[in-house]
C-alpha cells in the first residue's frame, strides 16, 4: 500500500502493528520448535512442502512426499476452520484464530507426550501445521488476508517494493511495516532456536502451546479495542 498524507499522520506503532508483531513472533517460534525437534518438517513454509511433495515422488521417497502433502492439507484445514469460526462465531474477535491455534498446539503436545520417539513425529506436526494455517486468518480485509503471518517470502517482496517506492519519492512508511513484520518472525525463530537448545521435543511443544495461549489471551482482549477502532473508522468515512 502506497503511503499518502493520511498514512503519514497515522501512528506507526498502533494496535494492528502490536497484534501483528505478537502473532509473527509466535509463528516464528512455533516454526522453529517444529523444525528443530522433528525430522525437518516445515509448518510455515508451504512452498517448501509443495516442492517436497512433488520431488519426493520423482526421487522415489514416497514417505517424504506423503508427509509434505499431509502438512499442506492440514495447513489448509486450519485456514478453512478458522475462517468459518471467524465468519460465524468470532465476528467481534477477528484475531480469535489464536484460540484455535492454541487448541491445536495443546493436542500436538498431548499426542507427542504419548510417543516414545526421539524426535517429534509427523502426527503432532500435522496439528502444528493446522495451527499455523489458522493464524494466517488473523488479518483479513475485504475477505482476503492482509497480513500473512507465516508467508515471509511475500513480506520480503513487499519490503523490497516499498524501498523502491521510497526511493522514487515516497516515505519510509512504504517499507517499515514489512521490515518490522519480517524482523518479528526472525525474532520468534531465534527465540525458538535458543529454547530448543535447552529443552527436548516434548517440552518444546508444551512451550509453543503456552506461548500461543499467552498471545491468544492478549489478542482476545485487544480485539475489543480493535473492533471499536474499525467502527470509528467506518463512521468517520
Amino acid at each position: 500500500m502506497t503511503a499518502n498524507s493520511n498514512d503519514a499522520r497515522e501512528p506507526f506503532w498502533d494496535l494492528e502493528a502490536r497484534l501483528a508483531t505478537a502473532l509473527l513472533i509466535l509463528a516464528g517460534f512455533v516454526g522453529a520448535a517444529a523444525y528443530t525437534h522433528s525430522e525437518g518438517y516445515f509448518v510455515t513454509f508451504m512452498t517448501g512442502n509443495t516442492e517436497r511433495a512433488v520431488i519426493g515422488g520423482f526421487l522415489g521417497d514416497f514417505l517424504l512426499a506423503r508427509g509434505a502433502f499431509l502438512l499442506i492439507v492440514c495447513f489448509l484445514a486450519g485456514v478453512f476452520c478458522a475462517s468459518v469460526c471467524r465468519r460465524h462465531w468470532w465476528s467481534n474477535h477477528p484475531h480469535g484464530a489464536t484460540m484455535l491455534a492454541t487448541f491445536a498446539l495443546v493436542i500436538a503436545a498431548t499426542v507427542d507426550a504419548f510417543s516414545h520417539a526421539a524426535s517429534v513425529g509427523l502426527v503432532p506436526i500435522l496439528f502444528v501445521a493446522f495451527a499455523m494455517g489458522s493464524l494466517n486468518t488473523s488479518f483479513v480485509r475485504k475477505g482476503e488476508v492482509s497480513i500473512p503471518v507465516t508467508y515471509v517470502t511475500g513480506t520480503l517482496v513487499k519490503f523490497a517494493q516499498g524501498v523502491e517506492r521510497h526511493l522514487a519519492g515516497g516515505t519510509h512508511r512504504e517499507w517499515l511495516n514489512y521490515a518490522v513484520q519480517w524482523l518479528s518472525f526472525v525474532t520468534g525463530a531465534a527465540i525458538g532456536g535458543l529454547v530448543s537448545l535447552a529443552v527436548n521435543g516434548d517440552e518444546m511443544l508444551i512451550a509453543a502451546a503456552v506461548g500461543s495461549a499467552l498471545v491468544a489471551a492478549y489478542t482476545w482482549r485487544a480485539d475489543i479495542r480493535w473492533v471499536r477502532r474499525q467502527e470509528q473508522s467506518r463512521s468517520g468515512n
Side-chain angles (χ1 to χ4, degrees), residues 23 78-84 86 90 94-98 100 131-140 144-149:
L23 291 171
V79 175
F80 178 83
C81 291
S83 297
V84 170
R86 181 189 181 101
W90 293 340
H95 305 97
T98 50
L100 186 59
M132 293 298 94
S134 67
L135 281 184
N136 277 281
T137 67
S138 297
F139 296 93
V140 176
E144 298 290 338
V145 172
S146 60
I147 301 179
V149 176

Side-chain angles (χ1 to χ4, degrees), residues 120-154:
V120 180
L122 176 61
V123 174
I125 295 299
L126 293 178
F127 285 100
V128 178
F130 180 95
M132 293 298 94
S134 67
L135 281 184
N136 277 281
T137 67
S138 297
F139 296 93
V140 176
R141 290 176 183 168
K142 298 180 180 179
E144 298 290 338
V145 172
S146 60
I147 301 179
V149 176
T150 66
Y151 183 48
V152 180
T153 301

Side-chain angles (χ1 to χ4, degrees), residues 1 7 11-14 16-17 20-21 24 141 147 155 158-159 172-184:
M1 179 177 66
D7 296 328
F12 167 71
W13 194 242
D14 58 5
E16 179 178 280
T21 296
L24 283 157
R141 290 176 183 168
I147 301 179
T155 300
K158 292 179 179 180
F159 166 75
H172 66 281
R173 296 293 290 272
E174 302 279 2
W175 54 265
L176 184 58
N177 285 334
Y178 304 120
V180 171
Q181 290 171 23
W182 180 74
L183 289 173
S184 298

